[in-house]
Amino acid sequence: LVDPRGIILTAERGVADARAVGVQVGRTKVPALVLAADAQRGVAVLHVDASALPGVQPATFDCAQPTPLAPGDRVATLGVPLRGPTTLDDGQVDRDAAGALVAEMTIAPGGVGGPLFAAAGALAGMTAPLDTDAGRQRRRVRVVPIEAACAVL
């Protein structure tokens, strides 16, 4: 959740061409409308009825002054995998052969699309799928910088 009015950012791969999806926060499931999905950037923007998620506070960030990420930076993400508990996973930013930002993290299947926080705690981006390995293991995930998400917002 990035806005108190019910705006959610997530990985585009999780919504693809859908117009509506379900969002689960803890044990609460709510319907969401897909406002935008950008496959190139890997970002989807959803809208939920924020009153259906009492107590959920939006992660704040400033599109005018995004938190930069660079290889070597330590990051952490919240994963909310399907049929599993919420996890806090950490890793280090790197670049793949094509120059895109990636991070080595332990994320369960279905746990990508969550917020990515810089070491100081600022929202710096989100995770997106990079591979389809099964099981909870250390793997590379795509790092979607917050400025890419801002471009879709």
Short mmCIF file of all heavy atoms in Angstrom, two decimals, residues 21-75:
data_model
loop_
_atom_site.label_atom_id
_atom_site.label_comp_id
_atom_site.label_asym_id
_atom_site.label_seq_id
_atom_site.Cartn_x
_atom_site.Cartn_y
_atom_site.Cartn_z
N VAL A 21 -8.26 -8.21 -9.52
CA VAL A 21 -7.54 -9.29 -8.84
C VAL A 21 -7.92 -9.27 -7.36
O VAL A 21 -8.60 -8.35 -6.90
CB VAL A 21 -6.00 -9.14 -8.99
CG1 VAL A 21 -5.57 -9.30 -10.44
CG2 VAL A 21 -5.52 -7.81 -8.42
N GLY A 22 -7.47 -10.23 -6.62
CA GLY A 22 -7.65 -10.23 -5.18
C GLY A 22 -6.32 -9.88 -4.51
O GLY A 22 -5.26 -10.26 -4.99
N VAL A 23 -6.40 -9.15 -3.43
CA VAL A 23 -5.22 -8.78 -2.65
C VAL A 23 -5.39 -9.35 -1.26
O VAL A 23 -6.45 -9.20 -0.66
CB VAL A 23 -5.06 -7.24 -2.60
CG1 VAL A 23 -3.96 -6.85 -1.62
CG2 VAL A 23 -4.80 -6.67 -3.98
N GLN A 24 -4.33 -9.99 -0.76
CA GLN A 24 -4.38 -10.52 0.59
C GLN A 24 -3.35 -9.82 1.44
O GLN A 24 -2.18 -9.75 1.10
CB GLN A 24 -4.12 -12.03 0.59
CG GLN A 24 -4.25 -12.62 1.97
CD GLN A 24 -4.25 -14.13 1.95
OE1 GLN A 24 -4.50 -14.75 0.94
NE2 GLN A 24 -3.98 -14.71 3.10
N VAL A 25 -3.81 -9.28 2.56
CA VAL A 25 -2.94 -8.65 3.56
C VAL A 25 -3.20 -9.38 4.86
O VAL A 25 -4.29 -9.26 5.42
CB VAL A 25 -3.22 -7.14 3.68
CG1 VAL A 25 -2.33 -6.53 4.75
CG2 VAL A 25 -3.04 -6.43 2.35
N GLY A 26 -2.22 -10.14 5.30
CA GLY A 26 -2.44 -10.99 6.47
C GLY A 26 -3.51 -12.01 6.15
O GLY A 26 -3.41 -12.72 5.15
N ARG A 27 -4.54 -12.07 6.94
CA ARG A 27 -5.65 -13.01 6.69
C ARG A 27 -6.81 -12.36 5.95
O ARG A 27 -7.81 -13.00 5.68
CB ARG A 27 -6.13 -13.60 8.00
CG ARG A 27 -5.08 -14.44 8.67
CD ARG A 27 -5.58 -14.95 10.01
NE ARG A 27 -4.49 -15.48 10.79
CZ ARG A 27 -4.29 -16.77 10.98
NH1 ARG A 27 -5.11 -17.64 10.46
NH2 ARG A 27 -3.27 -17.17 11.71
N THR A 28 -6.66 -11.07 5.64
CA THR A 28 -7.74 -10.34 4.97
C THR A 28 -7.55 -10.35 3.46
O THR A 28 -6.48 -10.00 2.96
CB THR A 28 -7.75 -8.87 5.46
OG1 THR A 28 -7.88 -8.86 6.89
CG2 THR A 28 -8.89 -8.10 4.84
N LYS A 29 -8.60 -10.76 2.74
CA LYS A 29 -8.59 -10.73 1.28
C LYS A 29 -9.59 -9.69 0.81
O LYS A 29 -10.72 -9.64 1.30
CB LYS A 29 -8.97 -12.08 0.70
CG LYS A 29 -7.95 -13.15 0.94
CD LYS A 29 -8.37 -14.46 0.30
CE LYS A 29 -7.37 -15.55 0.60
NZ LYS A 29 -7.76 -16.82 -0.02
N VAL A 30 -9.16 -8.84 -0.13
CA VAL A 30 -10.04 -7.81 -0.66
C VAL A 30 -9.91 -7.76 -2.18
O VAL A 30 -8.85 -8.06 -2.72
CB VAL A 30 -9.73 -6.41 -0.06
CG1 VAL A 30 -9.99 -6.39 1.43
CG2 VAL A 30 -8.32 -6.00 -0.35
N PRO A 31 -10.99 -7.38 -2.87
CA PRO A 31 -10.90 -7.24 -4.32
C PRO A 31 -10.11 -5.97 -4.67
O PRO A 31 -10.14 -4.98 -3.93
CB PRO A 31 -12.36 -7.13 -4.76
CG PRO A 31 -13.09 -6.65 -3.56
CD PRO A 31 -12.34 -7.15 -2.37
N ALA A 32 -9.42 -6.03 -5.81
CA ALA A 32 -8.65 -4.87 -6.27
C ALA A 32 -8.89 -4.67 -7.76
O ALA A 32 -8.99 -5.63 -8.52
CB ALA A 32 -7.17 -5.08 -6.00
N LEU A 33 -8.94 -3.43 -8.15
CA LEU A 33 -9.07 -3.05 -9.54
C LEU A 33 -7.68 -2.76 -10.07
O LEU A 33 -6.89 -2.06 -9.43
CB LEU A 33 -9.94 -1.79 -9.65
CG LEU A 33 -10.16 -1.20 -11.03
CD1 LEU A 33 -10.94 -2.18 -11.90
CD2 LEU A 33 -10.90 0.11 -10.92
N VAL A 34 -7.33 -3.31 -11.23
CA VAL A 34 -6.03 -3.05 -11.85
C VAL A 34 -6.14 -1.73 -12.61
O VAL A 34 -6.90 -1.61 -13.57
CB VAL A 34 -5.61 -4.18 -12.81
CG1 VAL A 34 -4.27 -3.86 -13.47
CG2 VAL A 34 -5.54 -5.51 -12.06
N LEU A 35 -5.40 -0.72 -12.14
CA LEU A 35 -5.43 0.60 -12.78
C LEU A 35 -4.43 0.69 -13.93
O LEU A 35 -4.67 1.38 -14.92
CB LEU A 35 -5.14 1.70 -11.76
CG LEU A 35 -6.09 1.80 -10.57
CD1 LEU A 35 -5.64 2.91 -9.64
CD2 LEU A 35 -7.52 2.03 -11.05
N ALA A 36 -3.29 0.02 -13.78
CA ALA A 36 -2.25 0.05 -14.81
C ALA A 36 -1.35 -1.16 -14.62
O ALA A 36 -1.14 -1.62 -13.50
CB ALA A 36 -1.43 1.33 -14.71
N ALA A 37 -0.82 -1.66 -15.74
CA ALA A 37 0.15 -2.76 -15.70
C ALA A 37 1.16 -2.50 -16.81
O ALA A 37 0.80 -2.45 -17.98
CB ALA A 37 -0.55 -4.10 -15.89
N ASP A 38 2.42 -2.31 -16.43
CA ASP A 38 3.49 -2.00 -17.37
C ASP A 38 4.49 -3.15 -17.38
O ASP A 38 5.31 -3.27 -16.46
CB ASP A 38 4.16 -0.69 -16.96
CG ASP A 38 5.18 -0.20 -17.95
OD1 ASP A 38 5.96 -1.02 -18.47
OD2 ASP A 38 5.23 1.02 -18.19
N ALA A 39 4.40 -4.01 -18.40
CA ALA A 39 5.27 -5.18 -18.47
C ALA A 39 6.73 -4.81 -18.62
O ALA A 39 7.61 -5.48 -18.09
CB ALA A 39 4.83 -6.09 -19.62
N GLN A 40 7.01 -3.74 -19.34
CA GLN A 40 8.40 -3.33 -19.54
C GLN A 40 9.07 -2.95 -18.22
O GLN A 40 10.20 -3.31 -17.96
CB GLN A 40 8.47 -2.16 -20.52
CG GLN A 40 9.90 -1.71 -20.81
CD GLN A 40 9.95 -0.57 -21.82
OE1 GLN A 40 8.95 -0.20 -22.41
NE2 GLN A 40 11.13 -0.02 -22.00
N ARG A 41 8.35 -2.21 -17.40
CA ARG A 41 8.91 -1.81 -16.10
C ARG A 41 8.68 -2.85 -15.02
O ARG A 41 9.30 -2.82 -13.97
CB ARG A 41 8.29 -0.48 -15.67
CG ARG A 41 8.76 0.69 -16.51
CD ARG A 41 8.23 2.00 -15.97
NE ARG A 41 8.73 3.13 -16.69
CZ ARG A 41 8.12 3.71 -17.72
NH1 ARG A 41 6.96 3.26 -18.13
NH2 ARG A 41 8.67 4.75 -18.33
N GLY A 42 7.74 -3.78 -15.24
CA GLY A 42 7.46 -4.82 -14.27
C GLY A 42 6.59 -4.36 -13.12
O GLY A 42 6.59 -4.96 -12.06
N VAL A 43 5.79 -3.31 -13.35
CA VAL A 43 5.00 -2.68 -12.28
C VAL A 43 3.52 -2.72 -12.61
O VAL A 43 3.11 -2.46 -13.74
CB VAL A 43 5.44 -1.20 -12.10
CG1 VAL A 43 4.57 -0.51 -11.06
CG2 VAL A 43 6.91 -1.11 -11.73
N ALA A 44 2.71 -3.02 -11.60
CA ALA A 44 1.26 -2.91 -11.71
C ALA A 44 0.76 -2.00 -10.60
O ALA A 44 1.31 -1.99 -9.48
CB ALA A 44 0.59 -4.27 -11.60
N VAL A 45 -0.27 -1.23 -10.91
CA VAL A 45 -0.89 -0.33 -9.94
C VAL A 45 -2.32 -0.82 -9.72
O VAL A 45 -3.08 -0.99 -10.67
CB VAL A 45 -0.91 1.13 -10.45
CG1 VAL A 45 -1.55 2.05 -9.41
CG2 VAL A 45 0.50 1.60 -10.80
N LEU A 46 -2.65 -1.06 -8.45
CA LEU A 46 -3.97 -1.56 -8.08
C LEU A 46 -4.67 -0.56 -7.18
O LEU A 46 -4.04 0.28 -6.55
CB LEU A 46 -3.84 -2.88 -7.31
CG LEU A 46 -2.92 -3.96 -7.87
CD1 LEU A 46 -2.88 -5.15 -6.92
CD2 LEU A 46 -3.38 -4.38 -9.25
N HIS A 47 -6.00 -0.69 -7.11
CA HIS A 47 -6.77 0.12 -6.16
C HIS A 47 -7.67 -0.81 -5.36
O HIS A 47 -8.37 -1.65 -5.91
CB HIS A 47 -7.63 1.16 -6.88
CG HIS A 47 -8.42 1.98 -5.91
ND1 HIS A 47 -9.73 1.70 -5.58
CD2 HIS A 47 -8.06 3.05 -5.15
CE1 HIS A 47 -10.15 2.57 -4.68
NE2 HIS A 47 -9.16 3.40 -4.40
N VAL A 48 -7.63 -0.63 -4.03
CA VAL A 48 -8.51 -1.36 -3.12
C VAL A 48 -9.27 -0.35 -2.28
O VAL A 48 -8.89 0.81 -2.18
CB VAL A 48 -7.72 -2.31 -2.19
CG1 VAL A 48 -6.98 -3.37 -2.97
CG2 VAL A 48 -6.77 -1.55 -1.28
N ASP A 49 -10.33 -0.83 -1.65
CA ASP A 49 -11.04 -0.02 -0.68
C ASP A 49 -10.18 -0.01 0.58
O ASP A 49 -10.10 -1.01 1.30
CB ASP A 49 -12.42 -0.62 -0.40
CG ASP A 49 -13.18 0.10 0.69
OD1 ASP A 49 -12.68 1.12 1.23
OD2 ASP A 49 -14.28 -0.37 1.03
N ALA A 50 -9.51 1.09 0.84
CA ALA A 50 -8.58 1.18 1.96
C ALA A 50 -9.26 0.93 3.30
O ALA A 50 -8.61 0.45 4.24
CB ALA A 50 -7.89 2.53 1.98
N SER A 51 -10.55 1.20 3.40
CA SER A 51 -11.24 0.97 4.67
C SER A 51 -11.35 -0.53 4.98
O SER A 51 -11.59 -0.92 6.11
CB SER A 51 -12.62 1.61 4.66
OG SER A 51 -13.48 0.95 3.74
N ALA A 52 -11.14 -1.38 3.97
CA ALA A 52 -11.17 -2.83 4.18
C ALA A 52 -9.86 -3.34 4.77
O ALA A 52 -9.75 -4.51 5.11
CB ALA A 52 -11.46 -3.53 2.86
N LEU A 53 -8.87 -2.46 4.88
CA LEU A 53 -7.56 -2.83 5.44
C LEU A 53 -7.23 -1.94 6.63
O LEU A 53 -6.25 -1.20 6.61
CB LEU A 53 -6.48 -2.70 4.36
CG LEU A 53 -6.66 -3.55 3.10
CD1 LEU A 53 -5.64 -3.18 2.05
CD2 LEU A 53 -6.58 -5.03 3.46
N PRO A 54 -8.04 -2.00 7.67
CA PRO A 54 -7.79 -1.14 8.83
C PRO A 54 -6.44 -1.46 9.46
O PRO A 54 -6.03 -2.61 9.56
CB PRO A 54 -8.94 -1.46 9.79
CG PRO A 54 -9.37 -2.83 9.40
CD PRO A 54 -9.14 -2.94 7.92
N GLY A 55 -5.75 -0.43 9.84
CA GLY A 55 -4.46 -0.61 10.50
C GLY A 55 -3.28 -0.76 9.56
O GLY A 55 -2.14 -0.75 9.99
N VAL A 56 -3.53 -0.90 8.26
CA VAL A 56 -2.43 -1.00 7.30
C VAL A 56 -1.99 0.41 6.94
O VAL A 56 -2.78 1.20 6.44
CB VAL A 56 -2.85 -1.78 6.03
CG1 VAL A 56 -1.74 -1.77 5.00
CG2 VAL A 56 -3.25 -3.20 6.39
N GLN A 57 -0.74 0.70 7.22
CA GLN A 57 -0.19 2.02 6.94
C GLN A 57 0.55 2.01 5.61
O GLN A 57 1.32 1.09 5.34
CB GLN A 57 0.77 2.45 8.06
CG GLN A 57 0.11 2.60 9.40
CD GLN A 57 -0.95 3.69 9.39
OE1 GLN A 57 -0.71 4.78 8.92
NE2 GLN A 57 -2.13 3.38 9.90
N PRO A 58 0.35 3.02 4.78
CA PRO A 58 1.07 3.05 3.50
C PRO A 58 2.57 3.29 3.69
O PRO A 58 2.98 3.98 4.62
CB PRO A 58 0.44 4.22 2.75
CG PRO A 58 -0.40 4.94 3.71
CD PRO A 58 -0.56 4.12 4.94
N ALA A 59 3.35 2.66 2.83
CA ALA A 59 4.78 2.94 2.77
C ALA A 59 4.95 4.26 2.01
O ALA A 59 4.39 4.42 0.93
CB ALA A 59 5.51 1.82 2.05
N THR A 60 5.64 5.19 2.59
CA THR A 60 5.76 6.50 1.95
C THR A 60 7.07 6.63 1.18
O THR A 60 8.07 6.01 1.53
CB THR A 60 5.68 7.63 3.00
OG1 THR A 60 6.72 7.44 3.95
CG2 THR A 60 4.33 7.61 3.72
N PHE A 61 7.02 7.39 0.11
CA PHE A 61 8.19 7.67 -0.70
C PHE A 61 7.93 8.95 -1.48
O PHE A 61 6.80 9.42 -1.56
CB PHE A 61 8.52 6.52 -1.65
CG PHE A 61 7.41 6.19 -2.61
CD1 PHE A 61 7.42 6.72 -3.88
CD2 PHE A 61 6.37 5.37 -2.22
CE1 PHE A 61 6.40 6.42 -4.77
CE2 PHE A 61 5.33 5.07 -3.10
CZ PHE A 61 5.36 5.60 -4.38
N ASP A 62 8.97 9.50 -2.05
CA ASP A 62 8.87 10.75 -2.77
C ASP A 62 9.36 10.53 -4.20
O ASP A 62 10.55 10.32 -4.42
CB ASP A 62 9.73 11.82 -2.07
CG ASP A 62 9.61 13.20 -2.69
OD1 ASP A 62 8.96 13.34 -3.75
OD2 ASP A 62 10.17 14.14 -2.11
N CYS A 63 8.44 10.57 -5.16
CA CYS A 63 8.82 10.38 -6.56
C CYS A 63 9.78 11.47 -7.04
O CYS A 63 10.57 11.25 -7.95
CB CYS A 63 7.59 10.33 -7.46
SG CYS A 63 6.66 8.78 -7.33
N ALA A 64 9.72 12.65 -6.43
CA ALA A 64 10.60 13.75 -6.83
C ALA A 64 12.03 13.53 -6.34
O ALA A 64 12.98 14.04 -6.93
CB ALA A 64 10.07 15.08 -6.31
N GLN A 65 12.17 12.76 -5.25
CA GLN A 65 13.50 12.47 -4.70
C GLN A 65 13.59 10.99 -4.33
O GLN A 65 13.61 10.63 -3.15
CB GLN A 65 13.78 13.33 -3.47
CG GLN A 65 13.87 14.80 -3.78
CD GLN A 65 14.20 15.62 -2.53
OE1 GLN A 65 13.88 15.24 -1.42
NE2 GLN A 65 14.85 16.75 -2.74
N PRO A 66 13.64 10.11 -5.35
CA PRO A 66 13.68 8.68 -5.05
C PRO A 66 14.98 8.27 -4.37
O PRO A 66 16.01 8.91 -4.54
CB PRO A 66 13.55 8.03 -6.43
CG PRO A 66 14.05 9.07 -7.38
CD PRO A 66 13.70 10.40 -6.77
N THR A 67 14.89 7.21 -3.58
CA THR A 67 16.08 6.66 -2.93
C THR A 67 16.85 5.84 -3.95
O THR A 67 16.33 4.85 -4.46
CB THR A 67 15.67 5.77 -1.74
OG1 THR A 67 14.92 6.55 -0.82
CG2 THR A 67 16.87 5.17 -1.05
N PRO A 68 18.07 6.25 -4.30
CA PRO A 68 18.83 5.51 -5.32
C PRO A 68 19.35 4.19 -4.78
O PRO A 68 19.61 4.05 -3.59
CB PRO A 68 19.98 6.46 -5.65
CG PRO A 68 20.17 7.27 -4.42
CD PRO A 68 18.81 7.41 -3.79
N LEU A 69 19.47 3.22 -5.68
CA LEU A 69 20.06 1.93 -5.34
C LEU A 69 21.24 1.68 -6.25
O LEU A 69 21.21 2.04 -7.44
CB LEU A 69 19.05 0.80 -5.53
CG LEU A 69 17.90 0.74 -4.53
CD1 LEU A 69 16.89 -0.32 -4.96
CD2 LEU A 69 18.43 0.43 -3.14
N ALA A 70 22.28 1.06 -5.72
CA ALA A 70 23.48 0.77 -6.51
C ALA A 70 24.03 -0.59 -6.08
O ALA A 70 23.75 -1.06 -4.97
CB ALA A 70 24.52 1.87 -6.27
N PRO A 71 24.79 -1.22 -6.96
CA PRO A 71 25.42 -2.49 -6.57
C PRO A 71 26.17 -2.36 -5.25
O PRO A 71 26.84 -1.36 -5.01
CB PRO A 71 26.37 -2.78 -7.74
CG PRO A 71 25.70 -2.13 -8.91
CD PRO A 71 25.11 -0.86 -8.34
N GLY A 72 26.00 -3.36 -4.40
CA GLY A 72 26.63 -3.36 -3.09
C GLY A 72 25.71 -2.89 -1.98
O GLY A 72 25.96 -3.18 -0.81
N ASP A 73 24.63 -2.17 -2.32
CA ASP A 73 23.69 -1.69 -1.30
C ASP A 73 22.96 -2.87 -0.65
O ASP A 73 22.55 -3.82 -1.34
CB ASP A 73 22.64 -0.75 -1.91
CG ASP A 73 23.19 0.60 -2.29
OD1 ASP A 73 24.35 0.90 -1.96
OD2 ASP A 73 22.44 1.35 -2.95
N ARG A 74 22.78 -2.82 0.66
CA ARG A 74 21.98 -3.81 1.38
C ARG A 74 20.52 -3.38 1.31
O ARG A 74 20.21 -2.19 1.43
CB ARG A 74 22.41 -3.91 2.85
CG ARG A 74 23.84 -4.35 3.07
CD ARG A 74 24.15 -5.76 2.66
NE ARG A 74 23.29 -6.73 3.32
CZ ARG A 74 23.27 -8.02 3.02
NH1 ARG A 74 24.05 -8.51 2.07
NH2 ARG A 74 22.46 -8.84 3.64
N VAL A 75 19.64 -4.34 1.08
CA VAL A 75 18.21 -4.07 0.97
C VAL A 75 17.44 -5.15 1.73
O VAL A 75 17.97 -6.22 2.04
CB VAL A 75 17.75 -4.04 -0.51
CG1 VAL A 75 18.29 -2.81 -1.22
CG2 VAL A 75 18.15 -5.30 -1.24
#
